């Protein structure tokens, strides 16, 4: 017990002095058993697939099983709330995309699905960003955003799909509606896959999605990429213009994902996981695999994720109120 206390004290002193904790030091006490990564979405989603890729590599580094446990439901909030109430010992982690921040603002949540977005978790690391792309079915007759807007203004009824109310895709669609002065009807789905399938089939005209999800369809011209929702063009699709370039300078919406732990998780554990995950996402193999999901690695200190989450809470929260975005 004295030895453990001494290690934790030394670790705290090292942090206070701005020193990095070497993984080997923390490994003497953590982890001593398997770690669970909670994913609040079904198996097969982008989030799930990325989590499993990272879990495998984290397990190799920590010499302990790292298991992905899917807990979908209520727009991802059930799994998020589960982690917020889990033991703060570093053995239950959350890997989540950014609806983590916005879903509680839109959905009517039961007590079991409620959590404190800003103060209920310890940020560990932001893994990646995933630029959003607006795609259209070729049958719509629009090969660009100006053409789509012109169709909408002419009286043609158009629709856009999203993976759910309050998602970044929903916010992007309504933000563009307001900025362009049109009304393209929102069609929410329970997940990305069914929304994309219906656009490919021509049941819905357009969709906001992450790049990786539609790359196979855009390469075959079964879907046409019209614009990127990010502030800059994506190196993964450099030929696609941004909305800013097209005159919609204020419309900037993207997706991101990251790891959180329950509030109160020891800082030594948070820093250890941060060190390992930073090294994992810098490896060429992982960078390449992330690109298949339309994702680009971010990394950095836990404070980077904390800032991203807080900024999203403020900016998207304001937009959700202004655009009157609710659960459809």
């Amino acid at each position: 017990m004295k030895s453990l206390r001494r290690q934790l004290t030394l670790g705290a002193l090292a942090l206070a002095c701005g020193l990095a904790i070497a993984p080997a030091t923390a490994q003497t006490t953590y982890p001593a058993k398997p770690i669970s990564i909670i994913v609040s979405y079904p198996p097969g989603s982008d989030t799930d697939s990325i989590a499993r890729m990272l879990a495998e590599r984290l397990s190799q580094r920590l010499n302990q099983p790292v298991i992905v446990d899917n807990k979908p439901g209520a727009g991802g909030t059930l799994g998020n709330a589960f982690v917020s109430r889990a033991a703060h010992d570093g053995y239950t982690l959350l890997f989540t995309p950014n609806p983590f921040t916005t879903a509680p603002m839109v959905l009517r949540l039961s007590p079991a699905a409620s959590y404190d977005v800003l103060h209920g978790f310890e940020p560990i690391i932001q893994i990646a960003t995933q630029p959003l792309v607006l795609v259209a079915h070729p049958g719509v007759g629009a090969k660009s955003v100006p053409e789509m807007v012109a169709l909408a203004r002419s009286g043609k009824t158009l629709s856009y799909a999203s993976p759910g109310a309050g998602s970044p895709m929903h916010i992007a669609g309504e933000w563009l509606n307001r900025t362009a002065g049109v009304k393209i009807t929102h069609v929410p789905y329970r997940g990305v896959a069914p929304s994309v399938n219906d656009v490919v089939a021509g049941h819905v005209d357009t969709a906001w999605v992450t790049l990786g999800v539609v790359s196979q369809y855009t390469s075959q011209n079964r879907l046409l990429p019209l614009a990127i929702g990010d502030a800059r063009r994506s190196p993964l699709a450099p030929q696609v213009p941004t909305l800013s370039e097209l005159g919609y300078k204020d419309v900037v919406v993207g997706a991101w994902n990251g790891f959180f732990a329950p509030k109160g998780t020891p800082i030594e554990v948070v820093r250890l996981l941060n060190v390992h995950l930073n090294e994992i996402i810098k490896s060429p193999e992982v960078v390449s695999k992330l690109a298949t999901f339309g994702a680009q690695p971010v990394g950095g200190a836990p404070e980077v994720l904390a800032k991203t989450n807080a900024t999203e809470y403020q900016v998207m929260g304001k937009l959700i109120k202004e655009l009157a975005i609710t659960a459809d």
Side-chain angles (χ1 to χ4, degrees):
M1 187 68 185
K2 289 182 178 179
S3 176
L4 174 58
R5 188 179 297 113
R6 181 173 179 273
Q7 288 177 22
L8 293 177
T9 301
L10 288 174
L13 287 172
L15 284 172
C17 296
L19 301 176
I21 296 178
T25 301
Q27 278 185 349
T28 59
T29 56
Y30 172 88
K33 62 181 181 179
I35 297 169
S36 292
I37 296 176
I38 304 301
V39 170
S40 303
Y41 298 89
S45 63
D46 273 14
T47 303
D48 174 73
S49 299
I50 294 172
R52 292 179 187 277
M53 173 185 69
L54 299 174
E56 178 184 358
R57 287 158 178 79
L58 193 58
S59 177
Q60 293 168 356
R61 286 171 160 265
L62 297 178
N63 296 314
Q64 284 287 351
V66 180
I67 303 159
V68 172
D69 184 5
N70 300 89
K71 292 187 181 297
T77 59
L78 283 178
N80 302 344
F82 174 85
V83 175
S84 74
R85 295 170 175 81
H88 44 83
D89 54 9
Y91 292 99
T92 303
L93 310 176
L94 175 68
F95 182 66
T96 180
N98 50 330
F100 164 87
T101 311
T102 55
M105 305 177 191
V106 176
L107 304 175
R108 299 182 186 90
L109 300 179
S110 68
S114 299
Y115 55 92
D116 187 334
V117 170
L118 296 180
H119 306 107
F121 300 83
E122 299 290 351
I124 298 173
I125 184 173
Q126 183 174 341
I127 292 296
T129 57
Q130 291 177 281
L132 300 185
V133 61
L134 174 62
V135 295
H137 187 274
V140 172
K143 296 182 179 179
S144 67
V145 171
E147 290 181 5
M148 183 190 73
V149 169
L151 283 175
R153 288 177 176 169
S154 73
K156 182 174 181 177
T157 300
L158 295 176
S159 56
Y160 75 92
S162 88
S167 65
M169 298 76 166
H170 183 193
I171 294 170
E174 293 307 308
W175 200 352
L176 180 58
N177 270 346
R178 183 180 71 173
T179 306
V182 296
K183 181 57 182 176
I184 300 173
T185 304
H186 178 222
V187 183
Y189 287 80
R190 292 185 176 180
V192 173
S195 70
V196 172
N197 290 341
D198 267 12
V199 180
V200 172
H203 302 313
V204 184
D205 299 310
T206 66
W208 281 97
V209 289
T210 53
L211 278 167
V213 172
V214 293
S215 60
Q216 61 176 316
Y217 301 115
T218 56
S219 65
Q220 299 166 1
N221 293 320
R222 296 174 67 187
L223 291 177
L224 305 178
L226 305 185
I228 292 289
D230 206 351
R232 296 174 295 277
R233 292 197 184 200
S234 170
L236 304 177
Q239 78 283 4
V240 183
T242 67
L243 286 173
S244 294
E245 291 177 61
L246 299 173
Y248 306 103
K249 297 187 181 301
D250 294 332
V251 186
V252 179
V253 184
W256 53 264
N257 53 52
F259 277 94
F260 292 86
K263 188 70 176 179
T265 299
I267 189 62
E268 293 87 353
V269 170
V270 170
R271 294 292 182 184
L272 172 66
L273 293 169
N274 176 273
V275 167
H276 280 299
L277 287 164
N278 263 305
E279 292 176 357
I280 288 170
I281 64 174
K282 288 176 184 175
S283 73
E285 181 187 14
V286 170
V287 171
S288 177
K289 285 184 177 292
L290 285 172
T292 65
F293 298 102
Q296 298 170 267
V298 176
E303 291 76 15
V304 172
L305 177 56
K307 182 177 180 180
T308 297
N309 185 43
T311 300
E312 182 112 338
Y313 187 85
Q314 180 180 9
V315 174
M316 292 297 116
K318 183 172 182 288
L319 273 172
I320 286 169
K321 289 180 180 178
E322 290 178 354
L323 300 172
I325 290 177
T326 59
D328 296 294

